Amino acid sequence: MMLVVQLLKGAAKHAGSRPQCSVERLFTAARGISSSSRQSSASGRSQCSACTDTDLPKVLITGGLGQLGVGLAKMLRRRIGKNNVILSDIRKPPNHVYHNGPFIFSDILDYKNLREIVVNNNISWLVHYSAVLSAVGENNVALAKEVNITGLHNILDIATEHGLRVFVPSTIGAFGPSSPRDPTPELCVQRPRTIYGVSKVHAELMGEYYHHRYGLDFRCLRYPGIISADSQPGGGTTDYAVQIFHAAVKTGQFECNLRGDTRLPMMYIDDCLRATLEFLEAPAETLINRTYNINAMSFTPHDLTQEIQKFLPDLKVTYNVDPVRQAIADGWPMALEDSAARRDWGWKHEYDLPELVQTMVTHITMGNQVAQAY
Ligand SMILES: NC(=O)c1ccc[n+]([C@@H]2O[C@H](COP(=O)([O-])OP(=O)(O)OC[C@H]3O[C@@H](n4cnc5c(N)ncnc54)[C@H](O)[C@@H]3O)[C@@H](O)[C@H]2O)c1
Ligand SMILES: C[C@@H](O)[C@H](N)C(=O)O
């Protein structure tokens, strides 16, 4: 109980230390949709006095049941209305997702079905989250090729055919051992050694090619490893940095599959989703590039363990290195150089390691206490 009180006090202090919460910042920083016609309300809901529902984008999120999609849908729905954001995936959604807004089946490998969804729902923005991540991809190269490359071709063709704005995330995994690692610049050698990385470099290049050749409004951010409390990672190399929090709160023991000194770029999910929305709303003329690095913090498993132990001193971490994941991580950036995003569309992260750990431990501890009460 003492821990919870301490955490809540800290979380409140952190919230107070920030000038505005991320949602509030979104409204004041509103780009793309005229700020003069928008007003923010205390509830954080967007209100558009001058525009009707037809002025707002209609968004389709593919691969929406992964680590990031549900959170993005929630944020977008607050901004543009529940029915203007359609989540899709090939899996059955949990009840709370099914009942919280439009959800449909969509397999990105089925071009005809994708076209039907875009046409029938008058889609104007497409957020393409479907992917096979780095570790799973190395175990199933054929699947990763199909989903990450053939699937992407379908998305770019549909978006071009229907004049959509399309967001495709790239990743630190789009770099490899011959890229400069600390920090990794926006433009440098990209020779990744995973099918995931190769497919993401392909996505960056194809999207930029379609932009220059056909005028496609292609937008791409290279995300670091993303850390979230209420959604699970989908089989990547950075997964340990989410799993350690759950283990720390539940059992106090964690077996880490990367070496303790493996430094990687990471970001709290709220920063990642806010970056995505701000970038999607940025007026096209401010975007000098179509692919940007975004950075927040970098840490090793040792650093993360020490920071968590400030709240949960009994946490014990052992190491059982997975050679596949370790080889991947050893070729990835330690930090991304992101000054272009900061300059062109105002990117600014809010969470560094101390705030991340406090927020994650608070969410997971509170979540467990609520679960135990029922
Ligand atoms: N989570 C991270 O740390 C991170 C970091 C960098 C980039 N990214 C990128 O962000 C995007 C979202 O990541 P995530 O962590 O939510 O991924 P995830 O692995 O958790 O989810 C991917 C989703 O894609 C779906 N999918 C698979 N095959 C599909 C198909 N044929 N048709 C439609 N959907 C299909 C899966 O069912 C799954 O729900 C991905 O493109 C990923 O590469 C994520
Ligand atoms: C970094 C990112 O792309 C993903 N979390 C992975 O590890 O594969």
Side-chain angles (χ1 to χ4, degrees), residues 314-326:
D314 294 337
L315 170 65
K316 298 262 175 314
V317 176
T318 53
Y319 292 88
N320 183 10
V321 171
D322 169 5
V324 175
R325 283 185 166 83
Q326 189 64 50

Side-chain angles (χ1 to χ4, degrees), residues 126-275:
L126 211 167
V127 175
H128 178 46
Y129 269 173
S130 310
V132 172
L133 301 195
S134 58
V136 176
E138 288 315 288
N139 279 327
N140 194 340
V141 174
L143 179 69
K145 252 170 62 187
E146 210 182 4
V147 174
N148 297 0
I149 298 179
T150 309
L152 173 94
H153 292 169
N154 287 345
I155 294 293
L156 293 182
D157 286 343
I158 288 283
T160 305
E161 198 176 303
H162 296 91
L164 310 183
R165 178 169 300 182
V166 62
F167 175 80
V168 180
S170 185
T171 161
I172 50 175
F175 299 97
S178 52
S179 310
R181 293 184 64 208
D182 194 17
T184 302
E186 210 111 59
L187 276 182
C188 63
V189 171
Q190 284 181 270
R191 286 292 179 277
R193 298 252 178 98
T194 59
I195 184 63
Y196 178 61
V198 169
S199 67
K200 288 293 186 177
V201 176
H202 176 76
E204 294 177 5
L205 292 175
M206 284 294 287
E208 291 186 10
Y209 174 73
Y210 270 52
H211 171 67
H212 294 298
R213 180 79 169 75
Y214 303 117
L216 174 66
D217 190 352
F218 170 79
R219 301 177 184 219
C220 175
L221 293 179
R222 293 189 187 118
Y223 291 163
I226 306 302
I227 299 172
S228 56
D230 51 14
S231 58
Q232 295 301 320
T237 304
T238 58
D239 293 11
Y240 91 87
V242 176
Q243 292 157 350
I244 190 172
F245 285 99
H246 292 277
V249 172
K250 280 185 197 132
T251 63
Q253 293 186 353
F254 181 65
E255 189 179 86
C256 183
N257 54 21
L258 292 182
R259 267 194 338 263
D261 62 353
T262 311
R263 180 172 300 280
L264 291 170
M266 302 280 185
M267 184 178 283
Y268 183 54
I269 189 166
D270 283 15
D271 272 345
C272 165
L273 300 180
R274 181 174 52 79

